[in-house]
Each structure stands twice: as structure tokens, then as C-alpha cells.
Amino acid sequence: MYLIVGLGNPEKQYETTFHNMGFLAVGEAADKLGVKFKKKECEASVAEAHLGGEKVILARPVTYMNASGRAVKQLLAKYKLPPENMIVIYDDFDLPKGKLRIRASGSAGTHNGMRSIIGEIGTQEFPRIRVGIRDPEVNIPIINYVLANIRKEDYPLFADACSAAADAAIAFARGEGIEHVMSAFNKN
């Protein structure tokens, strides 16, 4: 069994903000797997799919970004999953817009949602997919930037990035192994 978690904020006003890349990507994964987010459990909106006989849980924590770890901890406990069977998708200001970076583990960096997850589950040893959002032409404080709406002209770039992140998460949940997923999807 695998868990795919997309980080974001649940209210409509945040739907198309940079901080919701994880929500957008996990939504894309649900579309590709033909499932809908119909259940609420463990402080998350959840969809359930099956890949090659394995159950896959897709989740969007509704705790808001800075408390994402609460939902993740509950989901791992409910489904009795080790953290290495989870992949988290989130926005990353440290990467150029539209760039993906997949890692098997690592620190939270500047991301409060990841800090919350690592703090709640007590480890940083779990795979993650970072979707780059930084635009060198925009010079505003990070907190204002991540909560800003994606510019219309950038929609295609971020749609492609979220689609690729969804494909990477699905490959991981299909059991392809994080090293294989990294080599297939980490492009310069």
C-alpha cells in the first residue's frame, strides 16, 4: 500500500496559488487514476485507487499548510504504513518555476508544511516531489509570493509540472522504486 500526499490550503481562495502545487498535482494523479476525493478522514480529503493489486491512498490535508503533519501522522497510523511508502508533493520556492526535483529523503528546507510533517512523524526519511515556483522576475516576500495566484501566462508551465509530478507519484506507487523515479523524472 502507498500514500500520495499533496500539500496545500483547503479554501477556494487558495486554489490557484503557488502554495497549492501539491493539491493540484495530487488532483492530477487522481484524475489519471480515475478516482475522486470523496472521503474525509484523518483531517484530509482522501481518494482511493488500486494499481497492480496495491491500494493507493491519495490525500490532501485540510489542516492548512503549516499543520500538514497532523493529517500525515494520522494517515500513516490508520493505514499502518511506514514513511518510506509515502510520497509528498509540494511547492518549493528554492527551485525555478516548473522544475521538478524528486528526492528519497531530506530536510524541510524553508517549507513549513514539510517542517510540520517531519516534526510530527519524527523522520525525514520519506520520498518527496518538489515543484519549483520561484520566478526571478518577482521580488516580493516569500510569504506573499507563495499565497499569490499563478499568473495566467504561467498556467501551461505549472500544468505540465503538476502532470509530471502526478506521473512520478503514480510510478512510485506502482512500486517502481524511488531511485528509478528520480532518474526518470529529475531533469535539468
Side-chain angles (χ1 to χ4, degrees):
M1 181 183 304
Y2 291 92
L3 173 62
I4 301 172
V5 178
L7 301 187
N9 289 308
E11 289 182 30
K12 186 141 181 78
Q13 71 193 50
Y14 300 112
E15 205 168 83
T16 58
T17 64
F18 292 107
H19 228 14
N20 269 33
M21 285 298 133
F23 270 25
L24 296 169
V26 82
E28 182 71 20
D31 288 347
K32 289 175 183 232
L33 294 171
V35 297
K36 303 267 185 232
F37 289 90
K38 293 181 179 176
K39 294 194 302 189
K40 294 264 195 273
E41 62 185 31
C42 303
E43 295 187 82
S45 179
V46 174
E48 192 175 300
H50 289 85
L51 273 173
E54 285 281 343
K55 182 189 270 190
V56 179
I57 304 298
L58 297 95
R60 292 173 167 160
V62 295
T63 54
Y64 291 89
M65 183 65 78
N66 293 354
S68 298
R70 280 197 339 245
V72 169
K73 183 177 182 179
Q74 292 172 44
L75 288 162
L76 289 173
K78 176 182 174 104
Y79 292 102
K80 297 175 178 53
L81 286 173
E84 59 268 16
N85 280 36
M86 167 181 71
I87 194 161
V88 179
I89 309 171
Y90 63 101
D91 63 288
D92 192 333
F93 186 78
D94 296 328
L95 289 174
K97 64 182 181 179
K99 184 172 179 76
L100 288 189
R101 182 63 62 217
I102 302 166
R103 292 284 180 254
S105 64
S107 74
T110 60
H111 202 279
N112 289 333
M114 288 298 285
R115 279 190 194 133
S116 173
I117 293 171
I118 291 168
E120 288 283 345
I121 68 171
T123 184
Q124 58 187 20
E125 300 299 317
F126 58 89
R128 71 274 321 266
I129 301 171
R130 298 162 32 208
V131 179
I133 62 167
R134 182 177 28 100
D135 187 337
E137 296 175 14
V138 178
N139 188 19
I140 60 174
I142 293 175
I143 187 64
N144 297 343
Y145 183 80
V146 298
L147 295 176
N149 283 305
I150 300 164
R151 295 184 305 202
K152 293 223 185 293
E153 62 267 22
D154 286 336
Y155 277 6
L157 175 69
F158 286 110
D160 288 348
C162 286
S163 180
D167 289 340
I170 290 168
F172 172 77
R174 194 180 290 122
E176 292 185 20
I178 194 61
E179 297 297 328
H180 179 267
V181 174
M182 287 166 52
S183 67
F185 291 90
N186 281 342
K187 307 234 187 303
N188 289 328

